[in-house]
Amino acid sequence: MTRPDPTVPVGRWSQGRVQHVIATMLRAGVFLSAGVVAIGGIVYLLGHGGDVADYRRFHGEPERLRHLAGVLADLREGHARGIIQLGLLLLIATPVMRVAFTAWLFVRQRDRLYVAITLLVLAILALSLLAPDWETGLAAHLRG
Amino acid sequence: MTTLAFTLAVAAMSFGAGLLGALTGLGGGVVLVPMLTLLFQVDIRYAIGASLVSVIATSSGAAAAYVEEGYTNIRIGIFLEVATTIGAVAGGIVATWMSTPVIAVLFGVMLIVSAWFTRHPRDPWLIPTRSSPLALRLGLEGTQPGPNGPRPYFVRGVPAGFALMMLAGLLSSLLGIGSGAVKVLALDRMMQLPFKVSTTTSNFMIGVTAATGAGVYLSRGYIDPALAMPVMLGVLAGSMLGARLLLRVRAPLLRKVFAVVILLLAIEMIAKGLGGLHDPT
């Protein structure tokens, strides 16, 4: 049994259109995030351009910037690093959106196996992005 | 040096890395991490985080162009992304255990191995005549554009491809690279896909893998916005220019230069790592 490529015509969506949507989604995500990062970068340099830079010591990012809620809070206060971090989150979201769209394509084709597979990928992605502490807990647990 | 000077210098060097990566097709991440750690003395974890971010940006941009060409096999991509994302999450966990000197040594070894593999292409006449049962059941077969319409191709070696993809994901998160070379290896040699299908599908997967790794790094605080900003923007600009220049520059000569550069970087990374092992700070 062969399955059609998800980009083959389904309903009013031609193969070209599907490919175009995916491509546009990816490009828009990259440029939007780059724009936000650039704005944040300019604000950051305006405020901190004269500071001395030292990246030798790893001291971890402030707790607030590690999670979405913290980043949004930082943003409200107009901190440049928060703006940049938001841009980075948008960038990470771009491939995620692409996978979600692919899931929808498989739903259209009623391909249950691949809907399941795609949702699995999304679940793993969500796990890494939204629930980071379980991994540290797991790592600590495995170490004994 | 001041933050402004540092930012501009990093952006400039990242531009170069992105340009070189796009021209040689070998990825800027591979040059980026050594450049940041050796030249700018950036802690390797910060460098890896910033590199992963730039990998998402460049691969997504390239994937946009490739998808429209019609070579990307989306089913293979999605199916194998299960493997790469699992590997990427595992890589994030392993990165917590590993000391940075060991990561540096591993990085150097990876450089040498990938330099070796890019010099030895697969026999072009090893084309499968039919697909494996597993590949058929998963519907992984596809077609590639041809002068007389779509030409079908066959797929084999699914378990081996899956296993190698997990390794690709692991390395991506651990070293801050796209692992495009490993992915192409899996698709090209294990699953015996046509080369253009391998390269485009591999590229399709890189973004998701890097996003998984980046998610882990972000939540561990390994991504410093002040560093990721010039790196991401620099690499993005460089790779865009590189993609445009691609047709005008002679690729084989560039690859030879790149291979030499990679070997030098590998030696430096290993030396730095080994030095770090004796003198942990």
Side-chain angles (χ1 to χ4, degrees):
Chain A
M1 170 191 50
T2 44
R3 300 174 140 88
D5 187 298
T7 58
V8 297
V10 178
R12 286 175 297 145
W13 286 69
S14 70
Q15 178 173 33
R17 184 169 174 203
V18 170
Q19 289 172 344
H20 184 68
V21 168
I22 294 178
T24 308
M25 193 182 280
L26 290 171
R27 286 195 192 107
V30 171
F31 282 112
L32 178 66
S33 64
V36 173
V37 168
I39 290 172
I42 291 170
V43 175
Y44 176 72
L45 288 175
L46 285 174
H48 297 269
D51 297 355
V52 177
D54 177 24
Y55 289 89
R56 278 164 237 235
R57 298 267 166 268
F58 169 67
H59 45 76
E61 274 308 289
E63 192 60 38
R64 297 180 69 189
L65 285 176
R66 296 195 193 188
H67 306 283
L68 182 60
V71 172
L72 290 175
D74 224 42
L75 215 62
R76 270 196 294 272
E77 295 170 37
H79 289 156
R81 292 164 88 94
I83 298 174
I84 297 175
Q85 205 81 329
L86 177 67
L88 297 179
L89 282 171
L90 283 172
L91 184 64
I92 293 175
T94 302
V96 177
M97 294 291 312
R98 194 268 291 161
V99 176
F101 181 68
T102 312
W104 180 79
L105 286 176
F106 288 127
V107 167
R108 286 193 69 113
Q109 289 193 320
R110 301 173 202 241
D111 190 334
R112 282 202 211 148
L113 174 62
Y114 270 86
V115 171
I117 293 177
T118 314
L119 289 179
L120 178 59
V121 173
L122 276 174
I124 299 171
L125 270 167
L127 219 54
S128 79
L129 291 165
L130 298 175
D133 293 325
W134 70 269
E135 289 166 11
T136 332
L138 176 68
H141 185 74
L142 286 174
R143 242 178 304 179
Chain B
M1 64 171 32
T2 64
T3 299
L4 178 64
F6 181 82
T7 302
L8 289 175
V10 168
M13 293 299 289
S14 301
F15 181 86
L19 183 65
L20 208 54
L23 285 175
T24 56
L26 290 172
V30 150
V31 175
L32 205 56
V33 173
M35 172 197 91
L36 288 172
T37 55
L38 297 170
L39 208 62
F40 291 96
Q41 305 296 312
V42 173
D43 183 291
I44 200 170
R45 293 192 195 96
Y46 275 142
I48 289 174
S51 178
L52 275 175
V53 165
S54 67
V55 165
I56 302 175
T58 52
S59 70
S60 295
Y66 291 147
V67 161
E68 289 187 304
E69 280 182 15
Y71 284 93
T72 312
N73 188 319
I74 293 180
R75 275 179 214 280
I76 291 183
I78 287 285
F79 174 68
L80 291 176
E81 273 168 6
V82 174
T84 62
T85 52
I86 290 174
V89 168
I93 296 179
V94 171
T96 318
W97 295 343
M98 258 191 200
S99 60
T100 53
V102 175
I103 295 178
V105 172
L106 263 179
F107 198 97
V109 170
M110 178 276 296
L111 285 175
I112 294 176
V113 171
S114 46
W116 169 262
F117 269 110
T118 56
R119 290 163 56 87
H120 293 75
R122 180 189 87 185
D123 289 325
W125 43 83
L126 270 181
I127 300 171
T129 47
R130 57 168 209 265
S131 300
S132 67
L134 183 57
L136 280 174
R137 211 140 45 97
L138 290 168
L140 298 176
E141 285 182 330
T143 61
Q144 52 177 343
N148 302 322
R151 292 179 296 149
Y153 53 83
F154 304 104
V155 181
R156 309 186 61 81
V158 176
F162 195 89
L164 199 52
M165 281 307 175
M166 288 190 70
L167 178 66
L170 183 80
L171 289 174
S172 174
S173 279
L174 194 56
L175 305 174
I177 55 175
S179 288
V182 179
K183 292 186 171 82
V184 170
L185 205 72
L187 296 169
D188 178 51
R189 298 202 195 204
M190 301 289 162
M191 300 178 71
Q192 298 169 40
L193 303 177
F195 196 65
K196 266 216 107 166
V197 174
S198 300
T199 51
T200 54
T201 308
S202 155
N203 185 276
F204 192 67
M205 290 190 276
I206 289 177
V208 172
T209 316
T212 315
V216 175
Y217 274 72
L218 192 76
S219 46
R220 275 173 172 64
Y222 286 11
I223 295 185
D224 180 350
L227 177 65
M229 178 259 301
V231 167
M232 171 188 165
L233 297 175
V235 172
L236 200 52
S239 62
M240 277 166 62
L241 180 64
R244 246 166 253 245
L245 293 178
L246 199 55
L247 299 167
R248 305 204 211 148
V249 185
R250 229 172 281 153
L253 172 65
L254 258 173
R255 284 173 140 252
K256 285 204 181 102
V257 170
F258 206 57
V260 171
V261 169
I262 281 184
L263 274 169
L264 288 173
L265 288 174
I267 294 170
E268 292 235 38
M269 287 297 278
I270 293 178
K272 176 172 168 136
L274 290 176
L277 281 172
H278 292 289
D279 170 36
T281 9

